Amino acid sequence: MASHRRPKQPSRTRVTVLTATATAAVALSSQAAHADPKPTKSEVKAKVDKLYHEAEEATEKYNGAKERQDKLKKQVDTLQDRVARSQGELNTLRGELGLLATAQYRSGGLDPSVQLLLSSDPDSFLDQASALDQVTVKQAESLQRIQAKQRALGQQRREAQAKIADLAEVRETLGRNKQKFQGKLAEAQRLLNTLTVAERARIAEDEQRAGRAAGDRVELGNEVPASALGAEALRQAATRVGKPYVRTATGPNSFDCSGLTQWAYAQAGVQITRTTYTQITQGTRIARSQLKPGDLVFFSNTSHVGLYAGNNTVLHAPYPGAYVRYESMSTIGSYQTAVRI
């Protein structure tokens, strides 16, 4: 009689391995089928430019916080010096009061009537008593001065403590904005690293060429500046064409956008503030149709600024990796407003 043996069942471990292998194979084939194509050089460049603009916005906020920090630091130093001087004056007044109290104690150790009886020179005693009254009046005046000085010192200390608290808050803001623009720049660099060496070299060459030769190629027309000040600021900025963009830089050999406009107007003899967010509040707001060479033009939610150069063109420091150059307003970003200094 033939024997029938039951087929051996595969082990649970073997089934698990086979299942996992099959699942992984399906997943890999699915990923391969749906993998996104590698972005082109132009796509990477567009994303990088967007990140640079976002980094510039954070940079301008950083510049504003840095400017406020510097002002607060000076105010804190001044207040602390004032507190130290007031404390020294208070200590001097207290010392004088102590001397007066000692003199009064020594002179007033005996009852005045007894001192008069014992005195061999009554007239001299009366002179001394009169002097003692004067000491007492002077002591009262010293007490009043001490009380006034203590109140002033307390107010100065409260002001100093409030400024120190403001300074600590601004420093935190400074750190956050620094991390933000550093993060944006790092992300931009990661994107650039996805390109080939040749592609990155072509982008760099394009930026260098734009910075060096823009002044020779651009047609600015014959628009007349609204003032000698605007004309001189634009002339000064034009001498910086080809200088590299460096975040937080204010010249003379590298700039960020507001650093360039501040430097240009400083060379023309006028000090303007440090950031786009404060420069936009200076001077007179003008319509786009009223633009004249030397006016400040703001873009992208006021995070970018340049000097109008004529013929719908601005002179500006664009973003990291770029150079100071002339550029059409239509390619920079969304127009915001303009200001005439």
Side-chain angles (χ1 to χ4, degrees):
M1 185 176 179
S3 63
H4 300 278
R5 301 179 64 183
R6 180 179 296 177
K8 185 177 180 180
Q9 297 294 322
S11 68
R12 181 174 298 179
T13 301
R14 178 178 173 81
V15 170
T16 302
V17 171
L18 290 171
T19 302
T21 302
T23 302
V26 171
L28 288 172
S29 63
S30 176
Q31 288 176 2
H34 297 88
D36 293 330
K38 180 181 176 181
T40 64
K41 180 172 75 73
S42 59
E43 289 172 337
V44 168
K45 182 66 167 58
K47 290 179 180 178
V48 166
D49 287 348
K50 182 175 183 295
L51 286 167
Y52 281 159
H53 285 304
E54 291 172 352
E56 186 173 50
E57 183 176 353
T59 297
E60 286 301 309
K61 290 179 180 178
Y62 172 90
N63 290 338
K66 181 68 168 61
E67 185 178 43
R68 178 160 167 72
Q69 175 189 251
D70 293 343
K71 288 180 180 178
L72 282 171
K73 182 66 169 60
K74 290 179 181 178
Q75 291 172 356
V76 166
D77 290 344
T78 299
L79 284 168
Q80 288 179 331
D81 287 343
R82 194 178 301 164
V83 165
R85 286 196 302 271
S86 295
Q87 185 65 62
E89 292 168 359
L90 182 58
N91 291 341
T92 299
L93 288 173
R94 284 173 173 167
E96 292 174 354
L97 181 61
L99 292 174
L100 289 173
T102 300
Q104 183 184 27
Y105 174 78
R106 288 174 177 171
S107 300
L110 292 175
D111 183 88
S113 60
V114 176
Q115 290 186 46
L116 178 60
L117 290 172
L118 297 178
S119 174
S120 58
D121 187 353
D123 290 335
S124 175
F125 170 77
L126 292 174
D127 290 340
Q128 293 175 8
S130 176
L132 181 61
D133 288 341
Q134 292 175 9
V135 167
T136 302
V137 171
K138 189 173 182 181
Q139 184 181 25
E141 291 174 352
S142 294
L143 282 170
Q144 291 175 351
R145 288 199 299 272
I146 287 173
Q147 290 171 344
K149 183 61 69 176
Q150 284 176 327
R151 287 193 295 270
L153 181 58
Q155 179 62 31
Q156 289 166 1
R157 281 178 171 156
R158 286 190 291 273
E159 289 178 14
Q161 289 169 353
K163 293 293 183 184
I164 289 171
D166 289 345
L167 184 58
E169 183 177 345
V170 167
R171 281 174 172 163
E172 288 182 6
T173 302
L174 199 64
R176 286 195 299 270
N177 285 312
K178 185 175 182 179
Q179 288 179 343
K180 187 172 182 179
F181 73 63
Q182 286 178 336
K184 295 292 184 182
L185 294 176
E187 187 176 351
Q189 189 59 55
R190 285 194 295 271
L191 277 172
L192 287 172
N193 289 342
T194 64
L195 299 175
T196 66
V197 173
E199 288 172 329
R200 291 199 299 272
R202 280 196 293 273
I203 290 176
E205 289 171 2
D206 290 343
E207 291 295 348
Q208 290 176 343
R209 192 179 304 110
R212 285 195 304 268
D216 298 329
R217 296 199 312 269
V218 72
E219 175 55 52
L220 299 176
N222 298 311
E223 297 180 43
V224 178
S227 68
L229 173 62
E232 180 60 15
L234 180 61
R235 189 187 73 80
Q236 291 289 339
T239 68
R240 303 295 94 185
V241 168
K243 299 296 183 182
Y245 177 104
V246 175
R247 63 183 185 276
T248 77
T250 57
N253 296 314
S254 60
F255 302 88
D256 63 16
C257 68
S258 57
L260 175 64
T261 51
Q262 184 188 47
W263 181 88
Y265 269 93
Q267 305 315 300
V270 173
Q271 292 295 329
I272 62 175
T273 53
R274 173 66 183 91
T275 74
T276 57
Y277 304 114
T278 52
Q279 288 179 7
I280 200 171
T281 65
Q282 298 183 269
T284 304
R285 292 283 185 100
I286 55 174
R288 186 167 182 170
S289 60
Q290 296 174 305
L291 279 171
K292 297 292 183 181
D295 292 338
L296 299 183
V297 188
F298 296 85
F299 301 87
S300 304
N301 295 322
T302 71
S303 65
H304 188 73
V305 65
L307 292 103
Y308 184 70
N311 194 28
N312 199 44
T313 301
V314 297
L315 177 55
H316 69 143
Y319 44 75
Y323 297 79
V324 174
R325 68 191 186 200
Y326 294 93
E327 188 170 349
S328 170
M329 289 172 58
S330 61
T331 63
I332 293 175
S334 57
Y335 173 86
Q336 187 75 26
T337 190
V339 167
R340 182 166 297 153
I341 302 297

